[in-house]
Amino acid sequence: MARRRQVDLVRRLLEQNASAAIDAPGPAQSLGPTASFCESVQAAVDSLPLNGRHGLVFALCGAGLFFESLNLQVMSFVAPMIAREWHIGATLLGTVLSAAIMGMIVGTYLFGAIADRSGRRLTFQLTVGIFSVLTALSGASTALWQLALARFGAGVGIGGSIPVETAVLAEFTPVRWRGRVMAIWAMALPLGAFAAPFSVSLVPASLGWRGLLFLGGLPAALLFVLRRTIPETPQYLASKQRVAETNRALQWIARRPMTIAYRHVGSQARPTFPVNPEGVLFDPAHRRSTAMSWMIYFGSFFGYYGFVLWLPTLLGTYLGLERPQVLHFMLGLALAGLLGRIVVLVMADRADRRRLIMLCAASAVIALVGFAMQTQYALMLAWGYAAAFFLEGIFSVVIPFVAELYPASARASGVGWAGGMGRIGMALAPLAVGLLVQLDVRVAIGSLALGPLLSVIATCVEQRVAGRRRSGRIISRVVYRLTYSESAAR
């Protein structure tokens, strides 16, 4: 009991010393030896209540994700139009669909690393501008190689935007709200998919598929808003020891005076953030989580994007549905996916996130196999909507789950690398479907179930390893206490 009281006393003293570095209105405080500048900045952000500035950050990140999703979903409707106009087959069509995805792989790795080194704000502006301009330019393509090249460039911007948006939103949001806010932000993906059929129906037929791609340039308007409003995140500025800018960023998000001073205290002069953020992903504390997140992202993206990107073509060209039926099917699919996001979001705060991912992924496997086996339209609707419900549900929990696996020093890189593995799955899925559909359309659809099955395996293996680690820690504590008690008795 005496030892426990000593530990509690030391813990309270550390907490008091760390909290002394955070001040509301008032003079700047010097840091004590137990609280680094970066830690104090993070604690200051976490202490804030939500306000209008948080809403502005959320709105701009959500708008970026919405337009990125809309961009990809519109391309799934554009693809069969291009195939008819240019007389290309399934294999070449799969190549066009995969061009943007291959660009997303490059953009995810490239801009995730740039964001951790050069800042989130500048990188966010660059990525939004790249995917907006090149999407609009792709509408002017006159040859297949031009379209594929423009789609690749647009994909670079889209792939780079998502890890940067994740880092910006995570670092401006207090920790007690972070999971829920990021899960709600992720709903912009199904909302973009939901808006895609309306975009197709609203654009005049005389403009054709080119008019749909010209609409992709609209997100460029976000650049002008970003330049005048959102500053760099306080955590990034603190990692670079840019104290004055850090305090200005804190005051902006807090909407009140808030100052944290930096004082050289021995080893505290070293930045908390490592020079090589990618090294965090593979250190002993994170490498198992990194492997799990890569497998989950790869499997989820393979199943989901292979399903939604090819579905309009599969339904219309290979299963013989009329254009109005395809549009209605895709609209209902987007609604089912949105419902899945909402339901899983509600459950995310009440259930273990690993088990929730496992449940959604296993249900998606069953639904995809069931959809592949159906011939009646009503049953196709039921199984297809079930697949969309569970595939979208995975994303509602996996985005905040992976973002919280890493410290702020490597968050953009961690999410970026996991997203890059997802983009690889996303790129392979259209190619796989394009090859298998020539053999049998139902085999092609059923093959997409392999993606969520991989996510199930990843969570099962990691949970078992985590259980062993917890058991080992418990046994170690028991042995230590028994040994300590015996020594004290002697």
Side-chain angles (χ1 to χ4, degrees), residues 5 11 32 46 51 66 111 154-155 169 177 220 226 238 259 355 379:
R5 284 196 296 270
R11 184 183 295 113
D46 291 340
N51 58 52
F66 172 84
F111 286 107
L169 194 59
W177 290 99
L226 283 168
T259 302
R355 294 181 180 178
L379 292 176

Side-chain angles (χ1 to χ4, degrees), residues 246-403:
T246 300
N247 286 320
R248 286 197 293 270
L250 283 174
Q251 292 171 9
W252 181 86
I253 193 64
R255 304 187 71 174
R256 60 183 172 86
M258 177 176 283
T259 302
I260 299 178
Y262 179 83
R263 180 166 65 90
H264 178 96
V265 182
S267 62
Q268 295 301 317
R270 295 193 305 268
T272 300
F273 283 26
V275 176
N276 179 22
E278 291 83 5
V280 177
L281 277 62
F282 307 104
D283 65 22
H286 296 96
R287 58 191 176 198
R288 287 192 180 92
S289 298
T290 296
M292 177 194 62
S293 64
W294 285 12
M295 293 174 68
I296 292 175
Y297 260 79
F298 180 92
S300 301
F301 278 58
F302 183 92
Y304 175 76
Y305 284 101
F307 187 60
V308 300
L309 290 179
W310 262 102
L311 199 56
T313 303
L314 293 175
L315 294 174
T317 305
Y318 293 93
L319 296 179
L321 298 185
E322 299 294 332
R323 179 182 171 85
Q325 286 181 303
V326 174
L327 289 176
H328 293 156
F329 195 112
M330 295 301 295
L331 183 60
L333 202 76
L335 286 173
L338 182 59
L339 180 61
R341 294 260 185 173
I342 295 172
V343 171
V344 175
L345 172 62
V346 173
M347 297 174 62
D349 290 332
R350 304 177 183 180
D352 180 77
R353 290 182 179 175
R354 283 183 179 85
R355 294 181 180 178
L356 197 54
I357 293 171
M358 189 189 309
L359 175 63
C360 290
S363 301
V365 171
I366 297 172
L368 284 170
V369 173
F371 177 78
M373 297 173 62
Q374 303 309 315
T375 56
Q376 298 182 11
Y377 182 70
L379 292 176
M380 288 173 60
L381 285 176
W383 283 105
Y385 291 172
F389 180 93
F390 291 111
L391 287 170
E392 289 277 12
I394 296 173
F395 292 113
S396 190
V397 65
V398 75
I399 291 178
F401 172 70
V402 172

